[in-house]
Amino acid sequence: MQEQDMGKRAMVSAWISLISNILLTGIKIITGVMFNSKVLVADGVHNAGDVIASATALGAMRISSLPPDEDHPYGHGKAEVIGASVVAVILFAAGIFIGYHSIMALFEPMPKEHILALVAAIISLLWKQWLYIYTIRIGRAANSQGLIATAKDHLADVYASAAAVLGIGLGLIGEHWSIHILSYGDPIAGFVVALLVLRLAWEMGRESIDVLMEKAMATEEIESYAQAALSVAEVQRIDRIRAREHGRYIIVDIRASVDASLTIQQGHDIIRLIKGAVMKQEPRVYEVLVHLNPWYADTPDNANLAPQEHKNNSVTDKENYY
């Protein structure tokens, strides 16, 4: 029930992000055109890309929430990761766009700034900062890659809006005090923001590719799953364990050794205990695939080790994880 509630909150947050981006795009472009503010128009065009990004993330979240079916037995969790990668591409394009226009603005006459353009930029900055805090909290709580990507997109907008506030503010100060050099604060700040947006896009894209390529979880997390499986009394050792992210949840593969004299029914019960122990250890684990190997107490490999020593050895020996 709690997971369903978090899913609903994540969807509401995604809708708020989409509607907010549509409204902010209109405010920035209209105000920028009315008062000849190039930085505000550029920020508005950037925000138009955010509308596409928010819509992509929302669609991906809706797909990822669908239950497993015959064609997708492991669920649709990676839809959010694909959506996040699309957002990363949009952010990369936005960074190039902002950087290009910031450089070109250095070679053009600086337009006069208007106080209402500054007000619009400040509203955008505060609005986007709130949206970032709101969406990142819910995204992390729900482990929603799509919503986390949307939050990072909001963070990029915070940078862009901050640059617009700085640029317009410096322009107004320069006009009031006749300090013409301050007019160039707008494009210079925009170029710095472009670099920050490109860095953010690179990090998001790399994380998405890691999940799509099924990169192994961190060693510390895998060790915690191994310890959970070893807490089942009948498990003598962990022969192999792997774990990977599948969107908002995790899939774990385990090969464990148990007494060879146990019946199939006993083995079945042990598998259920292993699954329960791992899922209790990490609520994000959606599926635990367990394969049991026979363990013989009188074999040379096992003759000199007590069962508990087998467990300690299997956890500390990194080779047994893979």
Side-chain angles (χ1 to χ4, degrees):
M1 187 67 181
Q2 185 177 4
E3 183 177 351
Q4 291 180 346
D5 182 57
M6 287 306 305
K8 290 180 180 179
R9 290 181 63 188
M11 291 299 296
V12 170
S13 179
W15 274 109
I16 290 175
S17 295
L18 177 59
I19 294 171
S20 296
N21 278 329
I22 293 173
L23 292 175
L24 285 173
T25 298
I27 291 172
K28 291 177 182 179
I29 292 179
I30 292 173
T31 306
V33 171
M34 287 179 60
F35 300 106
N36 194 30
S37 174
K38 291 185 178 181
V39 65
L40 205 55
V41 172
D43 196 14
V45 173
H46 172 214
N47 227 109
D50 296 336
V51 173
I52 300 174
S54 297
T56 300
L58 179 61
M61 289 170 63
R62 291 179 65 88
I63 294 173
S64 69
S65 64
L66 296 174
D69 54 36
E70 185 175 347
D71 293 328
H72 307 89
Y74 292 101
H76 303 77
K78 285 190 177 179
E80 286 196 38
V81 184
I82 295 173
S85 64
V86 172
V87 173
V89 172
I90 293 174
L91 275 179
F92 184 82
I96 296 296
F97 175 84
I98 295 172
Y100 172 77
H101 282 276
S102 296
I103 293 174
M104 295 303 296
L106 292 171
F107 304 97
E108 299 175 357
M110 292 295 108
K112 290 186 177 182
E113 305 291 356
H114 196 281
I115 188 65
L116 289 181
L118 179 62
V119 171
I122 292 174
I123 291 174
S124 174
L125 174 62
L126 297 177
W127 197 338
K128 279 293 185 176
Q129 181 64 37
W130 176 82
L131 279 173
Y132 168 70
I133 295 173
Y134 174 64
T135 52
I136 197 67
R137 285 179 178 175
I138 297 179
R140 287 173 177 169
N143 193 34
S144 171
Q145 298 299 318
L147 197 57
I148 291 174
T150 301
K152 290 182 177 180
D153 186 39
H154 291 324
L155 182 59
D157 294 334
V158 171
Y159 297 153
S161 296
V165 170
L166 180 62
I168 296 172
L170 289 175
L172 288 171
I173 293 173
E175 290 174 12
H176 183 76
W177 296 99
S178 299
I179 306 175
H180 300 295
I181 190 65
L182 292 181
S183 299
Y184 291 94
D186 183 336
I188 292 174
F191 182 74
V192 172
V193 167
L195 296 178
L196 294 174
V197 171
L198 288 174
R199 179 184 175 185
L200 187 61
W202 167 259
E203 291 175 352
M204 286 179 58
R206 184 181 61 185
E207 291 173 2
S208 299
I209 291 174
D210 283 344
V211 176
L212 292 173
M213 295 295 292
E214 299 192 342
K215 181 182 178 181
M217 304 285 292
T219 302
E220 295 77 12
E221 294 184 73
I222 294 178
E223 183 171 351
S224 70
Y225 306 151
Q227 291 283 7
L230 286 167
S231 68
V232 177
E234 293 82 0
V235 176
Q236 302 299 324
R237 69 174 179 230
I238 301 298
D239 299 315
R240 186 177 187 183
I241 181 168
R242 297 181 294 182
R244 63 192 188 278
E245 288 191 72
H246 195 83
R248 68 176 65 185
Y249 47 83
I250 297 169
I251 296 177
V252 181
D253 302 320
I254 298 176
R255 292 186 184 182
S257 288
V258 299
D259 194 323
S261 64
L262 296 177
T263 65
I264 293 177
Q265 180 62 56
Q266 289 172 316
H268 173 75
D269 294 338
I270 292 170
I271 289 175
R272 295 184 62 183
L273 291 173
I274 293 173
K275 288 184 176 182
V278 175
M279 289 181 173
K280 184 178 180 181
Q281 169 71 26
E282 175 53 76
R284 290 192 299 150
V285 174
Y286 174 80
E287 182 70 64
V288 182
L289 307 175
V290 182
H291 173 85
L292 296 182
N293 292 327
W295 182 83
Y296 299 93
D298 57 350
T299 59
D301 290 339
N302 299 326
N304 298 322
L305 291 175
Q308 185 60 42
E309 291 175 315
H310 276 297
K311 295 179 182 181
N312 291 338
N313 183 57
S314 62
V315 173
T316 56
D317 185 358
K318 186 176 180 180
E319 292 182 358
N320 286 325
Y321 286 149
Y322 305 101

